[in-house]
Amino acid sequence: MPHGNIEQPKPLDVTERWAQVTGAHGRFVLFNFVVADPDLSVDLILPYKAFTEFCATNRAVLTVEPGAAAPFERLKWLSKDADGERTQARNEYTGQKRVSR
């Protein structure tokens, strides 16, 4: 039986990786991690800091679904703790003064 022109699948480039944020819940990022092909994906949930480390380690390109943009931006803002940024903002909101150490 002749095989004709059967198209061979193109090789997958496993260095191509994406993290598509689908939402945020509490301090967690909900995202879809894709390797090489959208059919090779897994849904994951990580705390924000672990998520950023995961993306850096895997060299994943970050994308955010439109419906997840506002919750994700809020989570990023809440996760900022360097130089007391989050603490100061919280204290300004509650009317408390920031205490210098």
Side-chain angles (χ1 to χ4, degrees), residues 21-31 45-46 48 67-76:
V21 175
T22 57
H25 183 72
R27 63 185 186 98
F28 295 95
V29 178
L30 291 70
F31 66 104
I45 301 172
L46 290 173
Y48 180 78
F72 182 63
E73 287 300 317
R74 182 176 183 277
L75 181 58
K76 283 190 338 186

Side-chain angles (χ1 to χ4, degrees), residues 17-78:
R17 299 173 184 159
W18 300 270
Q20 181 180 26
V21 175
T22 57
H25 183 72
R27 63 185 186 98
F28 295 95
V29 178
L30 291 70
F31 66 104
N32 187 15
F33 180 61
V34 178
V35 177
D37 183 298
D39 291 333
L40 299 174
S41 67
V42 62
D43 292 327
L44 297 171
I45 301 172
L46 290 173
Y48 180 78
K49 184 175 180 184
F51 168 75
T52 59
E53 291 169 359
F54 178 89
C55 289
T57 299
N58 286 285
R59 296 185 178 124
V61 175
L62 177 63
T63 62
V64 180
E65 288 185 352
F72 182 63
E73 287 300 317
R74 182 176 183 277
L75 181 58
K76 283 190 338 186
W77 181 82
L78 290 173

Side-chain angles (χ1 to χ4, degrees), residues 76-87:
K76 283 190 338 186
W77 181 82
L78 290 173
S79 297
K80 288 182 184 175
D81 215 358
D83 301 322
E85 290 177 31
R86 185 178 78 178
T87 304

Side-chain angles (χ1 to χ4, degrees), residues 4-19:
N5 286 339
I6 297 177
E7 195 173 316
Q8 295 295 319
K10 68 178 190 175
L12 296 175
D13 182 359
V14 295
T15 63
E16 291 183 17
R17 299 173 184 159
W18 300 270

